[in-house]
Amino acid sequence: MAMVSMALSVNNPTFPNRCQINRRGGMAFASLSNKASASLGVRVTEGEGNLPKLVLSSPAGSEAEIYLYGGCITSWKVPSGKDLLFVRPDAVFNGNKPISGGVPHCFPQFGPGPIQQHGFARNMDWTLVDSENAEGSPVVTLELKDAPYSRAMWDFSFHALFKVTLNAKSLSTELTVKNTDSKAFSFSTALHTYFRASASDAAVKGLKGCKTLNKDPDPKNPVEGREERDVVTFPGFVDCVYLDASSELQLDNGLGDLISIKNTNWSDAVLWNPYLQMEACYKDFVCVENAKIGSVQLEPEQTWTAVQHLTAA
């Protein structure tokens, strides 16, 4: 395997537009020389709201964009130039509110609970710690550690790594969480992926037989059931958890694209479309989320890893 790897230095004087920010008690840096950028297929630029953004480009013409704020992938374009992800028109890029769209992180809590909705990982600056090129495919690794902001609501020390690989027609992620505390902790997590779609025409295969927790009509009191349909659609409001889901789902986005959603160790899936709660954009996306709804228990020094592999047919 031909691979070029570079640890990213925050003191690299050859990159004039180094991005350096300090929010939420942590630092997020990005620095790549122009030469390294060309060889790796990775460049750092200024995104919406002047937030640091990574742009990954493959020789085949595919492209992905990742904001360090929230460690959020906001765009995945296949070689035709079509973006298969969706960012809501009401998304705010101000470094305070989570980015609404793309692939936001839910960690260390999925949904409502003792701390804020979907946890804090999507509200914090991640750090770019490594970039490499594997046989022409750009690969970046982002890092998140506990900080005063996180410890104020979840008092544990942790180390998370998020590795993103872009290929010609696929986008892969690997999330690793390590307990760096002296005591055990538990968490739930998800990748809250927004896919561009025609919601009324979108369909998901691979969920038949799963135990379901349907949050319609009352999100606070999910109704238990079992999925009997071969093909699940989005005819209206949808908010449903699928426990012990298949390791591969297929999404027809209703726009002519078939997307394979494979995973390792993401045991559950979530389908969501807000329908009239977001009248301005509900017709234009569906969320098909890989999740770990049940708590993951980690003893000190233990790690948990999950992989997601999205492929456009």
Side-chain angles (χ1 to χ4, degrees), residues 38-213:
S39 65
L40 296 176
V42 180
R43 60 187 175 91
V44 183
T45 186
E46 199 172 78
E48 298 286 335
N50 300 322
L51 296 177
K53 179 178 73 173
L54 308 178
V55 180
L56 281 61
S57 303
S58 81
S62 58
E63 188 174 277
E65 297 182 358
I66 311 168
Y67 278 78
L68 293 185
Y69 179 72
C72 187
I73 303 170
T74 55
S75 176
W76 169 37
K77 293 179 181 177
V78 290
S80 67
K82 193 173 189 179
D83 199 334
L84 299 182
L85 299 181
F86 182 80
V87 175
R88 284 168 23 196
D90 62 341
V92 176
F93 293 80
N94 62 5
N96 291 309
K97 185 179 178 182
I99 297 171
S100 299
V103 188
H105 290 274
C106 302
F107 174 86
Q109 174 184 289
F110 174 76
I115 64 175
Q116 66 189 22
Q117 174 87 359
H118 291 324
F120 49 70
R122 60 186 191 148
N123 296 75
M124 295 181 69
D125 293 305
W126 294 59
T127 303
L128 177 58
V129 293
D130 193 34
S131 183
E132 60 191 33
N133 188 287
E135 297 182 341
S137 300
V139 184
V140 295
T141 302
L142 308 186
E143 175 187 73
L144 183 68
K145 294 182 178 180
D146 56 286
Y149 173 72
S150 68
R151 296 193 74 116
M153 62 185 93
W154 195 67
D155 194 17
F156 297 101
S157 176
F158 70 92
H159 181 206
L161 291 173
F162 188 53
K163 185 176 181 179
V164 182
T165 303
L166 177 69
N167 289 301
K169 289 191 174 183
S170 68
L171 181 71
S172 301
T173 65
E174 179 182 275
L175 176 65
T176 300
V177 178
K178 182 177 182 178
N179 182 347
T180 55
D181 210 298
S182 59
K183 54 188 180 295
F185 63 63
S186 61
F187 65 90
S188 58
T189 182
L191 296 178
H192 199 314
T193 308
Y194 288 70
F195 290 98
R196 188 176 303 276
S198 169
S200 59
D201 301 310
V204 178
K205 293 181 179 179
L207 293 168
K208 186 176 182 178
C210 289
K211 181 180 178 180
T212 58
L213 300 175

Side-chain angles (χ1 to χ4, degrees), residues 1 3 16 72 76 92 172 174 209 242 259 266 277:
M1 176 180 289
M3 180 176 289
C72 187
W76 169 37
V92 176
S172 301
E174 179 182 275
Y242 293 82
I259 302 168
W266 288 107
Q277 294 178 7

